[in-house]
Amino acid sequence: MADEGNNIITDLNLDGPQPNGADTMPAAGIIQQYIKDLSVENPNAPESFQWQDPPQIDVQFNIGARELNPEVSEVELKIAVTSKCQGGTAFIIDLSYCGLIGMRNMEDTHKHAFTYAEAPRILFPFARRVISDAVRDAGFPPLLLEPVDFNGIYLQQLAASQAAQENGEGEALPSEA
């Protein structure tokens, strides 16, 4: 038997508990998610149920955030969906879907990325289901929104704002609303 007691199978780089039980590891996650506001309009019913032409669907997204305290922020995913046909507007759905996110022991750049890219990515499938149900409950076939690459959008906006800063036109990171 060679070097009994000196074999390290796995080193997880855990240096033991922090002094006084302090939690110093970075952590982030969703605490709660909820519908903050939902509006469903069906302005041309029942005539709109007879329209045969394919609808033109317009989907708009907006992401906002506000800090409630140093460790908790509210992320708001706003989705507006409008369906129009030649006869007029079939339906309008406005959804404000929110999540309370907890973050501690994170650098500001990581907090910003989690707030504006990762949290919306986590919230979106639930907001998409609310939209689909609202459209169905308005009397139309359910609308399943396509997946959204929130990380890609975040990186594009970050690059654009950094380019604007280099040109003396703005901030490095989009400000929180």
Side-chain angles (χ1 to χ4, degrees), residues 11-175:
D11 183 3
L12 299 176
N13 294 324
L14 300 176
D15 297 327
Q18 299 298 318
N20 296 322
D23 183 7
T24 58
M25 296 296 293
I30 303 292
I31 299 169
Q32 179 75 35
Q33 47 187 318
Y34 51 94
I35 296 171
K36 191 168 193 173
D37 188 30
L38 174 62
S39 171
V40 180
E41 297 179 38
N42 196 350
N44 290 302
E47 291 82 12
S48 59
F49 301 129
Q50 304 304 314
W51 297 341
Q52 298 298 315
D53 57 313
Q56 298 297 314
I57 306 290
D58 179 46
V59 180
Q60 300 292 318
F61 288 92
N62 191 13
I63 300 168
R66 65 184 180 111
E67 187 176 277
L68 302 176
N69 66 51
E71 292 188 350
V72 178
S73 295
E74 178 188 57
V75 173
E76 184 174 22
L77 181 57
K78 290 184 178 182
I79 304 172
V81 180
T82 304
S83 174
K84 293 185 178 182
C85 294
Q86 289 178 355
T89 300
F91 64 82
I92 302 169
I93 310 286
D94 286 313
L95 173 65
S96 175
Y97 195 82
C98 296
L100 293 180
I101 59 170
M103 296 178 285
R104 72 173 159 245
N105 303 323
M106 293 176 65
E107 296 177 21
D108 286 343
T109 54
H110 293 148
K111 285 175 105 172
H112 196 272
F114 190 86
T115 301
Y116 289 97
E118 189 62 17
R121 184 193 68 78
I122 294 169
L123 295 173
F124 179 71
F126 301 97
R128 180 169 74 171
R129 183 198 49 83
V130 172
I131 295 284
S132 178
D133 289 350
V135 171
R136 183 199 64 223
D137 292 347
F140 298 94
L143 174 67
L144 186 60
L145 298 176
E146 293 291 324
V148 176
D149 181 9
F150 290 102
N151 289 320
I153 293 169
Y154 176 77
L155 291 174
Q156 287 175 348
Q157 290 180 343
L158 184 62
S161 67
Q162 286 175 341
Q165 183 186 28
E166 290 173 5
N167 294 332
E169 298 173 8
E171 300 176 3
L173 295 173
S175 62

